[in-house]
């Protein structure tokens, strides 16, 4: 993968947190390139900085130093307000625990990212319906999260992540809380989003079987990235 | 921008209506506070109207100097002809007042005895709801009752009733834009003089109408000057100043309720602030998730603030309107030293109540909104 065609390009990315007076540096001088249309799985022990890296790529946090280009924009240079606008149209975030708004129906949850977009009500509703159908829940629009299974909730969350049509999806252990069957469905869905819809996905996982679905698997160990050739073989 | 804000308001409405019990409890609490606030404001407003002289007030009250209760203010009725000669005086009406209670009281019965032919001059503003003025003129023991008075005592035309030792026959029920009129019984002066043992020729006060507001002071001075060395010296004041002086206890009492109103405001502020703060605490993660979806800090702050404002407004509407209904229905009157204060709400109180509720809702959610908006997304997502 040559860097000039990378969709995501990290150079010397360092992130330092301060817990009281002690600095914690989960990522230091990290380089990473992800070509457009890749399904990347990120593995590594707990505390190795996977979520931290994902948050930086998703633009909900900024690196302490280094450059972070996503789709040609150095998001490390954007201010909080600019990052917000950028997120709204460029990235969808999928969480381990779905994080749906409990009082809203599936439809209303998926609608959330579009509420601040300059769309007519009609167009907004059409996009929500398309997203829900894409995840196979077109008939569950009216259900509240509490009336859905974990797998269904995660599919609603995926619909919410793709409804504004971002090129990048990030997922933090999206199958970590699901049974095998639901997990397989979710992974197939993510796979389909890469193959059929050209999305780029960065997924954190602890599960080798989940990682096996990805195009590339990287291990984050002591803030270094290691390519997992053996897992990559399995995936192919 | 407007469409965005509208969507955020809608989202806030969903948050409120779908956490029904919690919203309802807060709204009821706010409503109780705003009920108290509106009631106190109504009392203050009614007192202000009754005691602050305005430019078009042209009535003076001549009372016995150094007396504060109608039972002890005794003036010779013949003063009338003397007062009538003073320049700038348009009308003089001798009045006998009999009350059942001189202290501050909620159930005051006040009789006003006026010369039968002067009633329409003394109170041109009254309207007869039931019965007629003619039938009142014809019977010496007839009474025209203010409608609140009649409602409070359950009296109607044709009834007889006895209060403060005076027995009268109800000849009519009247309504008047002047709140005091609605709480008194108008009777014939000679009848009341005899019934109250004051005796013929003795009155409680004179109401003097002058030709213009500028004449109030000079005429008052001249009257008091004239009777200074008489056996019954006078003290003459504009009607509303007379009210303020005479009903001292009442003025102090109502003035004190200001603090209750302030307390109510503080309680509402605390209640809404607490509710919104709890909401913000409970939604740390939810707000962080909204931000990952592209909601900015301003949108989050707006969402929180709208919720607080809606809680305040909903409680405000409920509290103010129920205060309005309560005060209209109950028609509360406080009496003191023979003057009565009708606690009547007006549009001004409604508007001020709603505005206050809005402002309190906003004020209460400013800090929580700021807190919610400034939390870093990542640490909110990590929070348990
Ligand atoms: N906001 C923060 N403030 C302080 N320290 C943080 C913060 N975020 C992460 N850390 C620290 O950075 C390190 C990496 O955290 P991170 O969540 O990225 O790990 P992870 O690889 O996702 O772990 P896991 O597999 O358990 O989810 C940890 O030591 C964590 O305590
Ligand atoms: Mg993690």
């Amino acid at each position: 993968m040559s860097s000039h065609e990378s969709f995501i390009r990290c150079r010397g990315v360092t992130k330092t947190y301060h817990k009281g007076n002690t600095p914690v540096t989960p990522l230091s001088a990290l380089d990473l390139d992800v070509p457009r249309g890749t399904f990347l799985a990120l593995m590594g022990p707990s505390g190795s900085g996977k979520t931290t890296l994902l948050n930086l790529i998703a633009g909900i946090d900024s690196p302490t130093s280094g450059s972070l280009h996503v789709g040609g924009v150095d998001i490390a240079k954007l201010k909080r307000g600019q990052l917000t606008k950028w997120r709204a149209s460029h990235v969808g975030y999928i969480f381990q625990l779905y994080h749906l708004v409990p009082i809203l129906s599936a439809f209303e949850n998926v609608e959330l990212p579009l509420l601040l977009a300059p769309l007519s009500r009609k167009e907004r509703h059409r996009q929500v319906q398309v997203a829900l159908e894409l995840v196979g829940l077109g008939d569950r629009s009216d259900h509240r999260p509490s009336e859905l299974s974990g797998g269904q909730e995660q599919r609603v969350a995926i619909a919410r992540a793709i409804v504004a049509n971002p090129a990048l999806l990030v997922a933090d252990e999206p199958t970590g809380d699901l049974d095998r069957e639901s997990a397989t469905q979710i992974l197939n869905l993510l796979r389909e989003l890469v193959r059929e819809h050209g999305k780029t996905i960065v997924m954190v996982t602890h599960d080798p079987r989940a990682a096996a679905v990805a195009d590339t698997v990287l291990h984050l160990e002591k803030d270094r990235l290691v390519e997992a050739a053996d897992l990559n073989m399995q995936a192919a | 921008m407007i469409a965005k804000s509208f969507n955020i308001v809608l989202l806030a409405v969903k948050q409120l209506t779908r956490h029904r019990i919690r919203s309802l409890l807060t709204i009821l609490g706010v409503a109780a506070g705003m009920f108290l606030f509106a009631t106190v404001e109504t009392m203050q407003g009614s007192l202000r109207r009754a005691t602050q002289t305005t430019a078009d007030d042209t009535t003076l009250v001549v009372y016995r100097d150094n007396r504060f209760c109608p039972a002890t203010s005794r003036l010779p009725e013949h003063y009338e002809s003397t007062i009538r000669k003073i320049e700038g005086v348009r009308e003089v009406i001798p009045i006998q007042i009999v009350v059942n209670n001189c202290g501050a009281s909620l159930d005051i019965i006040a009789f006003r005895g006026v010369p039968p032919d002067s009633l329409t001059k003394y109170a041109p503003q009254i309207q007869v709801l039931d019965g007629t003025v003619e039938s009142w003129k014809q019977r010496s023991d007839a009474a025209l009752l203010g409608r609140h008075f009649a409602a409070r005592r359950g009296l109607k035309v044709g009834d007889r009733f006895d209060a403060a030792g005076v027995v009268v026959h109800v000849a009519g029920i009247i309504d008047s834009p002047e709140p005091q009129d609605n709480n008194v019984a108008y009777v014939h002066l000679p009848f009341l003089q005899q019934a109250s043992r004051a005796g013929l020729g003795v009155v409680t006060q004179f109401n003097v109408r002058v030709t213009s507001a500028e004449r109030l002071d000079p005429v008052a001075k001249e009257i008091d000057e004239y009777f200074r060395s008489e056996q019954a010296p006078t003290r003459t004041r504009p009607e509303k100043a007379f009210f303020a002086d005479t009903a001292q206890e009442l003025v102090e009492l109502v003035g004190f309720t200001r603090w209750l109103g302030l307390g109510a405001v503080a309680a509402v502020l605390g209640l809404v602030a607490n509710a919104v703060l709890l909401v913000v605490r409970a939604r740390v993660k939810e707000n962080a998730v909204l931000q990952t979806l592209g909601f900015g800090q301003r949108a989050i702050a707006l969402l929180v603030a709208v919720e607080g404002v809606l809680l305040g407004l909903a409680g405000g509407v409920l509290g103010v309107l129920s205060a309005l209904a309560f005060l209209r229905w109950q028609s509360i009157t406080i009496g003191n030293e023979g003057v009565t204060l009708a606690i009547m709400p007006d549009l001004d109180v409604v508007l001020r109540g709603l505005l206050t509720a809005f402002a309190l809702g906003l004020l209460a959610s400013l800090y929580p909104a700021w807190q919610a908006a400034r939390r870093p997304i990542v640490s909110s997502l990590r929070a348990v």
Side-chain angles (χ1 to χ4, degrees):
Chain A
M1 51 178 99
S2 67
S3 65
H4 68 269
E5 58 187 62
S6 296
F7 181 61
I8 302 172
R9 198 183 72 194
C10 303
R11 286 293 176 273
V13 165
T14 299
K15 183 67 191 178
T16 304
Y17 291 111
H18 293 275
K19 275 183 182 164
N21 281 332
T22 22
V24 182
T25 305
L27 299 175
S28 81
L30 183 108
D31 295 343
L32 170 70
D33 288 274
V34 183
R36 187 182 286 274
T38 308
F39 192 160
L40 171 71
L42 213 50
M43 300 188 75
S46 184
S48 57
K50 304 182 295 296
T51 299
T52 302
L53 179 57
L54 215 57
N55 289 345
L56 294 179
I57 293 172
I60 61 174
D61 204 358
S62 292
T64 311
S65 63
S67 71
L68 209 176
H69 286 81
V70 178
V73 180
D74 187 359
I75 61 170
K77 288 207 172 69
L78 298 183
K79 303 216 168 54
R80 190 165 175 170
Q82 296 170 310
L83 266 181
T84 301
K85 283 212 183 74
W86 178 83
R87 277 199 306 273
S89 49
H90 290 85
V91 61
Y93 205 123
I94 299 159
F95 303 91
Q96 176 178 356
L97 297 175
Y98 336 124
H99 288 331
L100 300 176
V101 178
I103 57 139
L104 298 180
S105 67
F107 189 94
E108 290 166 326
N109 265 289
V110 177
E111 194 183 16
L112 282 172
L114 300 183
L115 288 183
L116 305 182
L119 290 176
S120 71
R121 200 179 130 88
K122 203 173 147 201
E123 175 58 21
R124 196 168 73 224
H125 283 195
R126 195 190 64 77
Q127 275 183 238
V128 174
Q129 199 54 41
V130 167
L132 275 170
E133 272 160 23
L134 204 145
V135 300
L137 288 176
D139 55 342
R140 297 299 172 100
S141 321
D142 295 336
H143 288 57
R144 294 273 177 89
S146 59
E147 300 161 344
L148 298 171
S149 71
Q152 287 171 331
E153 279 192 81
Q154 192 59 298
R155 280 191 276 159
V156 173
I158 291 172
R160 182 177 67 181
I162 61 173
V163 72
N165 201 23
L168 171 66
L169 296 179
V170 299
D172 199 350
E173 303 185 41
T175 57
D177 215 48
L178 297 176
D179 59 77
R180 183 104 308 272
E181 198 179 325
S182 304
T184 308
Q185 279 181 358
I186 294 298
L187 291 168
N188 287 342
L189 181 57
L190 293 178
R191 184 73 253 168
E192 185 189 322
L193 286 170
V194 174
R195 280 228 187 93
E196 321 262 315
H197 300 271
K199 306 285 183 203
T200 304
I201 297 184
V202 180
M203 173 180 76
V204 168
T205 185
H206 281 295
D207 178 4
R209 274 183 285 190
V213 181
D215 301 317
T216 316
V217 180
L218 293 179
H219 275 261
L220 201 51
E221 317 247 3
K222 290 195 179 161
D223 67 41
R224 285 273 154 270
L225 277 171
V226 184
E227 197 147 353
D230 51 341
L231 281 168
N232 225 5
M233 298 279 283
Q234 280 179 18
Chain B
M1 185 62 210
I2 291 170
K4 273 194 210 174
S5 308
F6 177 74
N7 286 337
I8 287 177
V9 171
L10 267 183
L11 190 56
V13 169
K14 284 178 190 167
Q15 292 281 15
L16 287 176
T17 54
R18 296 183 192 177
H19 288 113
R20 205 175 317 151
I21 302 284
R22 198 188 56 204
S23 306
L24 215 62
L25 287 176
T26 308
I27 288 171
L28 283 179
V30 172
M34 292 314 294
F35 178 93
L36 188 57
F37 175 81
T39 305
V40 166
E41 280 294 299
T42 303
M43 292 175 84
Q44 302 284 343
S46 302
L47 184 67
R48 220 175 299 127
R49 277 194 300 280
T51 55
Q52 277 175 9
T53 310
T54 57
D56 44 341
D57 288 339
T58 53
T59 306
L60 288 169
V61 175
V62 183
Y63 216 66
R64 178 79 172 264
D65 195 21
N66 277 319
R67 300 290 161 84
F68 301 98
C69 180
T72 55
S73 174
R74 289 159 171 257
L75 294 170
E77 195 176 339
H78 66 77
Y79 279 10
E80 179 189 345
S81 53
T82 312
I83 297 172
R84 203 175 280 282
K85 287 186 201 119
I86 292 170
E87 197 200 322
V89 171
R90 203 166 60 191
E91 190 60 60
V92 184
I93 294 158
I95 301 169
Q96 174 73 32
I97 289 175
V98 172
V99 291
N100 61 341
N101 187 346
C102 257
S105 154
L106 271 176
D107 184 33
I108 195 150
I109 305 242
F111 290 100
R112 279 187 193 170
V114 296
D117 292 324
S118 302
L119 177 71
T120 43
K121 273 186 261 161
Y122 171 67
Q125 67 278 13
I126 62 171
Q127 282 183 341
V128 181
L129 296 177
D130 198 8
T132 60
V133 175
E134 279 318 305
S135 63
W136 175 76
K137 280 185 183 165
Q138 275 154 25
R139 261 188 93 131
S140 66
D141 67 343
L144 283 176
L145 300 191
R147 67 184 167 90
H148 293 159
F149 188 145
R152 213 164 63 222
R153 290 265 159 164
L155 294 167
K156 49 188 192 306
V157 174
D159 287 351
R160 288 180 73 75
F161 84 97
D162 175 345
V166 182
V167 183
V168 296
H169 169 88
V170 181
I173 310 288
I174 56 165
D175 182 26
S176 166
E178 192 63 52
Q180 291 239 13
D181 287 338
N182 295 321
N183 288 292
V184 298
Y186 282 106
V187 294
H188 295 197
L189 176 62
F191 164 77
L192 193 60
Q193 285 170 327
Q194 284 167 320
S196 69
R197 297 181 305 273
L200 289 171
V202 176
V203 297
T204 309
Q205 68 188 57
F206 295 93
N207 276 30
V208 177
R209 210 148 280 165
V210 297
T211 46
S212 70
E214 297 92 73
R215 297 297 301 155
L216 285 170
D217 279 345
V219 170
K221 262 202 200 105
E222 205 168 325
I223 294 173
D224 293 345
E225 209 46 51
Y226 199 95
F227 299 114
R228 186 199 288 281
S229 45
E230 295 285 326
Q231 239 192 354
T234 59
R235 170 124 192 251
T236 306
R237 280 156 288 183
E239 198 176 25
K240 292 185 175 172
F242 166 75
F243 185 107
D245 290 348
T246 311
Q248 271 297 334
E249 287 176 50
L250 189 64
V251 172
E252 276 168 26
L253 193 75
V254 172
F256 174 77
T257 61
R258 185 190 314 276
W259 300 108
L260 294 183
L262 218 60
V265 164
V268 167
L269 189 66
L271 186 64
V272 178
N274 179 57
V276 177
L277 214 53
L278 285 180
V279 160
V280 165
R281 297 262 157 88
R283 280 194 216 138
V284 164
K285 233 177 218 166
E286 193 171 305
N287 284 336
V289 171
L290 288 178
Q291 292 186 69
T292 66
L293 301 180
F295 279 59
Q297 287 174 288
R298 235 178 302 164
I300 296 294
L302 187 61
L303 194 58
V304 174
V306 167
E307 248 182 271
V309 165
L310 288 178
L311 283 174
L313 264 184
V317 168
L318 192 64
V320 170
L321 291 187
S322 40
L324 193 71
F326 172 75
L327 292 171
R328 291 248 168 216
W329 175 66
Q330 278 282 325
S331 58
I332 292 175
T333 304
I334 313 176
N336 187 202
E337 311 287 6
V339 293
T340 59
L341 177 67
I343 308 299
M344 286 298 278
D346 57 7
L347 190 66
D348 192 46
V349 167
V350 174
L351 291 181
R352 207 129 35 92
L354 295 185
L355 205 68
T356 304
F358 174 86
L360 288 177
L362 186 63
L363 196 63
S365 38
L366 282 183
Y367 173 71
W370 176 75
Q371 218 192 22
R374 113 204 135 103
R375 278 197 77 124
I377 306 173
V378 281
S379 55
S380 298
L381 284 177
R382 298 177 75 89
V384 242

